[in-house]
């Protein structure tokens, strides 16, 4: 119930209140269920999203990497929860300015989601839209960089 209430607070943008609930939920789940239990990983992932929403990107990244690596090991690369973690980490890396790493990860996520969930699944569509937007952004940046270099070469 506390986890669900924290999720509701998060959807309302009440990030601090969500975090105040998620920290004890996560710690309790770690103690009772262990670090590799799906419910514990769910809480850690939710905590990471909450922290990221407050601008604490490095803390969020650390948690998201932990969740992704654990889910890969326990559930496998093709499990929907693993793919959700992959998607979330890609968005964090993008916010951190690690565009190349984010783009590579979201590309992998899209390919796997298409194969596992299908092209019309909402998660696939969402990741694919992000991929297209990020690719377009990179293309615009390359054009800008190219035109800047061309301007600098003019005598």
């Amino acid at each position: 119930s506390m986890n669900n209430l924290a999720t509701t607070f998060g959807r309302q943008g009440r990030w601090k209140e969500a975090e105040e609930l998620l920290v004890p939920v996560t710690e309790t789940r770690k103690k009772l269920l262990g670090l590799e239990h799906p419910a514990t990983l769910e809480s850690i992932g939710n905590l990471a999203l909450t922290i990221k929403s407050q601008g604490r990107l490095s803390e969020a990244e650390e948690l998201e990497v932990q969740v992704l690596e654990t889910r890969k090991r326990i559930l496998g690369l093709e499990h929907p929860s693993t793919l959700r973690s992959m998607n979330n980490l890609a968005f964090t890396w993008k916010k951190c300015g690690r565009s190349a790493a984010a783009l590579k990860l979201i590309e992998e996520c899209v390919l796997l989601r298409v194969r596992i969930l299908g092209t019309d699944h909402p998660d696939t569509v969402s990741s694919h839209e992000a991929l297209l937007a990020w690719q377009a952004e990179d293309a615009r940046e390359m054009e800008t960089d190219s035109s800047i270099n061309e301007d600098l070469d003019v005598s």
Side-chain angles (χ1 to χ4, degrees):
S1 294
M2 288 173 66
N3 189 67
N4 292 341
L5 181 57
T7 301
T8 299
F9 284 158
R11 288 187 178 132
Q12 294 173 347
R14 297 163 61 184
W15 303 115
K16 194 65 181 159
E17 292 167 279
E19 182 180 0
E20 289 170 359
L21 290 174
L22 283 170
V23 168
V25 167
T26 302
E27 291 307 313
T28 300
R29 284 181 169 179
K30 283 179 187 178
K31 277 190 259 178
L32 296 178
L33 304 173
L35 268 172
E36 296 181 344
H37 192 279
T40 304
L41 294 172
E42 174 190 338
S43 292
I44 296 169
N46 288 341
L47 181 59
L49 289 172
T50 299
I51 289 170
K52 178 171 35 179
S53 297
Q54 296 177 67
R56 293 162 35 209
L57 299 177
S58 62
E59 289 176 68
E61 178 186 11
E62 186 178 318
L63 293 174
E64 287 176 342
V65 167
Q66 174 189 347
V67 171
L68 176 58
E69 293 306 317
T70 304
R71 282 181 167 161
K72 278 183 185 178
R73 192 175 67 255
I74 302 302
L75 303 173
L77 183 60
E78 298 181 346
H79 192 280
S81 294
T82 305
L83 298 177
R84 183 169 38 295
S85 295
M86 186 180 289
N87 181 80
N88 291 346
L89 181 57
F91 273 84
T92 300
W93 283 349
K94 182 72 173 166
K95 279 188 169 190
C96 288
R98 298 179 57 198
S99 295
L103 188 59
K104 185 177 178 180
L105 190 59
I106 201 73
E107 285 172 344
E108 182 182 4
C109 182
V110 168
L111 290 173
L112 289 167
R113 279 184 162 174
V114 165
R115 193 169 77 230
I116 305 307
L117 304 174
T119 56
D120 295 331
H121 190 280
D123 292 346
T124 305
V125 171
S126 174
S127 293
H128 190 245
E129 288 173 353
L131 171 61
L132 294 175
W134 296 355
Q135 287 172 330
E137 184 180 301
D138 279 1
R140 282 191 304 275
E141 287 176 10
M142 288 180 74
E143 286 175 12
T144 302
D145 291 346
S146 175
S147 67
I148 289 171
N149 289 336
E150 290 171 8
D151 289 343
L152 294 174
D153 290 340
V154 175
S155 302

